[in-house]
Amino acid sequence: IKQLIENTDVATRQVLWFYELCKSGVVRFSLKNEEHIKILTDIINKVNDYDAEKYKDDPYQIWIGSGNLWGPTYSFAMCVLEESQWLRTKSVTSPEFFHGTIELVEKGVCVALNMTEGQTRKLDQRVKDFVGQYTDDFTVFDTADYELPGISDKFRWMLSPVVINAVLSRVSKNFEQIRNHSLDIRRYYRKVEY
C-alpha cells in the first residue's frame, strides 16, 4: 500500500491515509489492506464513467456544493477548471444557488453537483430536484453512492470530503487527458508579475 500511496495524487492519498488509520486502530474500524485498495479502486472506476469528453469544451460550467463539500467544490472549480484548464466556471453553494445562479440554468448549460452526506444534504437535494428539470447537462457526484465498507452510516458524512476529493481528482485527470491540456500549464499564475 505504501507504493500505491507514493504513486497517487493528493486526494487519493487522503483516502488511503484514512484507511491506514482504520487499519492501525487509530480509527476503530476493521479493514484489511486488500479492502482499502478495493474501496479506492471502486471509487476511481465509478468516476471513470464521468463523461469529461462531453463537457471538455463547454463555454461555461456551474459547480455546486455545500457544507463540508463546499471547500473541495470551490477549489476544484477555481484551481482545476479555471486555473489549470482555462474553462469558465462558476462555483456556488447550494443555498446561494437559488439567489442568482438559478437564472443561468437552461438546456445546454453544464451543471455539476457534489452531494454531501452531512447536515446540508437537504439543500443539495433541493438543487438536484430543480436542476434536473431544466438542463440536459447535469452530473451529480453523491458521496452516498460510494461504498465504504466498515464505516458506520453515523460517520460517513465525515468522509464526504475525502471521497469527493478522490472523485474530483479523477475527474481532473480525465479533463487533462481528454483536453490534452496538462494540469501544470499556466499562462500567468507564477509566470508573470502581477
Side-chain angles (χ1 to χ4, degrees), residues 136-156:
D136 50 353
D137 288 339
F138 185 39
T139 301
V140 176
F141 294 111
D142 187 344
T143 61
D145 291 342
Y146 299 91
E147 290 184 34
L148 297 174
I151 307 299
S152 161
D153 288 347
K154 180 179 173 183
F155 298 108
R156 282 186 58 97

Side-chain angles (χ1 to χ4, degrees), residues 75-133:
S75 295
F76 177 77
M78 178 182 59
C79 298
V80 174
L81 297 179
E82 292 177 336
E83 181 183 310
S84 299
Q85 292 295 300
W86 308 342
L87 294 169
R88 288 168 178 81
T89 308
K90 166 78 174 165
S91 55
V92 65
T93 65
S94 294
E96 289 174 327
F97 170 79
F98 290 101
H99 300 280
T101 311
I102 188 174
E103 293 298 333
L104 300 175
V105 175
E106 60 188 7
K107 293 225 180 289
V109 173
C110 174
V111 179
L113 171 65
N114 294 328
M115 283 188 75
T116 184
E117 294 175 71
Q119 294 177 333
T120 56
R121 185 172 178 84
K122 286 181 182 176
L123 299 170
D124 293 343
Q125 186 64 50
R126 185 174 171 223
V127 169
K128 181 180 177 184
D129 293 344
F130 175 84
V131 173
Q133 297 176 61

Side-chain angles (χ1 to χ4, degrees), residues 1 23 31-41:
I1 199 156
K23 187 186 80 166
L31 293 170
K32 297 180 179 134
N33 271 348
E34 313 82 59
E35 292 171 322
H36 302 177
I37 294 167
K38 183 182 179 332
I39 290 165
L40 177 63
T41 304

